[in-house]
Amino acid sequence: MKKIIPVLSSILALSLMLPSISSANVGINEKFGLPIVVYGGNLSEAEKESVAKSLDVAGEADVEEIEVTGQDLITYIKDGDSRANMYSSAKITRKDAGEGLVIQIVTPDNITQVTTEMYANAMLTAGIEDASVEVAAPKAVTGHSALVGIYKAYEVNGEELDPERTDVANDELTVATELADSGVEDAKVSELLTEIKKQIAEQNPATREEVEKIVEDQLTKLQIELSPEDRKLLTDLMDRIRKLDIDFSKWSTQLEDLSKTIEDKIGTIVNDEGFWQSVKSFFQKLADSVRGWFN
């Protein structure tokens, strides 16, 4: 027993040393209300349970659970198909102004097309600026329906979204995945969309021709080749974004923050060689102690 005590002490010391990757559970946020979990309307009961586990619903102090169906597509997307299948799901927690967007796909093998950056870009276009979002699916799906679920969850949480912006945001997600399917790397697609939007925010173009020049300039800068059809698709999207009722004076800063948020949160730990060395040393000592029990 005496030999076990030092090991337990070491484990306690490690728990104090490890940085907290996720925020401690401090109970219900009375300012913004409960986290909202929105399930795809076509999930079976077993699939819903799988998603709830992936989104750690049981780990919340309290949570509101809702469902998104094809009918919701009509609310947020002009040409939405009410018969659409909805499987991808999400948990959204509103944050204070200035905290930005933090997106995590907790079942990366099952969200096959949409990346965290694509979600974040589309959410910003839709008018969602400060939130933590986790996306999950119980089987391989593209991930598009999660965005509609995020819209619904956000409005259940007390906000109102402009349907024109949510419709454009859906177009943006569609364009992003189509460009990726055409052979452009996912990261390059997100970089392209972000850079074009930043230039729209900074230059405030007044005509489609000016938008087209911004698109062409960024394609050249990032050395991305697109077919004439995809160039038109991209220009049409960005011209719609230009016409939105957006405060472009602060949009540029939000887009800058968008590209850094995930890197900053992960890089702090991943790049800390001293931290990982201390973890390695701890487990070496733990192994030595365990071996000592049997000697």
Side-chain angles (χ1 to χ4, degrees), residues 34-221:
L34 302 175
I36 305 289
V37 173
V38 54
Y39 297 102
N42 292 95
L43 295 176
S44 67
E45 282 303 313
E47 289 171 335
K48 186 175 178 180
E49 290 178 10
S50 173
V51 167
K53 183 177 180 180
S54 297
L55 295 174
D56 192 24
V57 173
E60 297 289 347
D62 201 356
V63 65
E64 184 171 354
E65 298 175 272
I66 62 174
E67 184 178 271
V68 62
T69 68
Q71 285 297 128
D72 293 305
L73 285 173
I74 301 172
T75 301
Y76 301 107
I77 301 171
K78 289 180 180 179
D79 298 323
D81 185 353
S82 61
R83 299 167 298 175
N85 290 325
M86 316 288 277
Y87 293 102
S88 52
S89 307
K91 178 170 70 175
I92 181 167
T93 305
R94 289 173 59 200
K95 299 294 184 181
D96 286 315
E99 290 195 27
L101 294 171
V102 178
I103 318 296
Q104 182 183 11
I105 298 175
V106 297
T107 57
D109 291 339
N110 289 340
I111 303 296
T112 63
Q113 285 191 337
V114 187
T115 67
T116 55
E117 293 83 7
M118 290 177 188
Y119 279 124
N121 254 313
M123 288 170 63
L124 187 56
T125 297
I128 301 173
E129 300 174 2
D130 301 285
S132 172
V133 177
E134 297 173 49
V135 180
K139 55 189 174 184
V141 295
T142 61
H144 286 77
S145 66
L147 186 62
V148 178
I150 291 167
Y151 297 158
K152 185 172 183 178
Y154 199 68
E155 292 205 318
V156 166
N157 243 333
E159 297 291 336
E160 183 175 351
L161 297 173
D162 179 351
E164 179 66 21
R165 290 185 65 166
T166 59
D167 187 57
V168 174
N170 182 71
D171 275 358
E172 181 176 344
L173 201 61
T174 299
V175 170
T177 54
E178 287 188 13
L179 293 182
D181 287 343
S182 72
V184 184
E185 292 181 3
D186 290 344
K188 276 289 187 182
V189 171
S190 296
E191 184 180 14
L192 175 63
L193 295 177
T194 302
E195 291 302 315
I196 292 174
K197 288 159 71 175
K198 282 165 62 177
Q199 291 305 311
I200 289 175
E202 292 172 11
Q203 297 182 32
N204 194 22
T207 65
R208 177 186 171 85
E209 289 70 28
E210 291 176 354
V211 171
E212 189 170 11
K213 185 178 186 308
I214 290 173
V215 170
E216 293 296 331
D217 288 346
Q218 293 306 311
L219 286 172
T220 300
K221 176 184 174 183

Side-chain angles (χ1 to χ4, degrees), residues 7-21:
V7 177
L8 296 177
S9 299
S10 297
I11 293 174
L12 176 60
L14 177 65
S15 69
L16 295 175
M17 177 185 68
L18 288 172
S20 176
I21 297 176

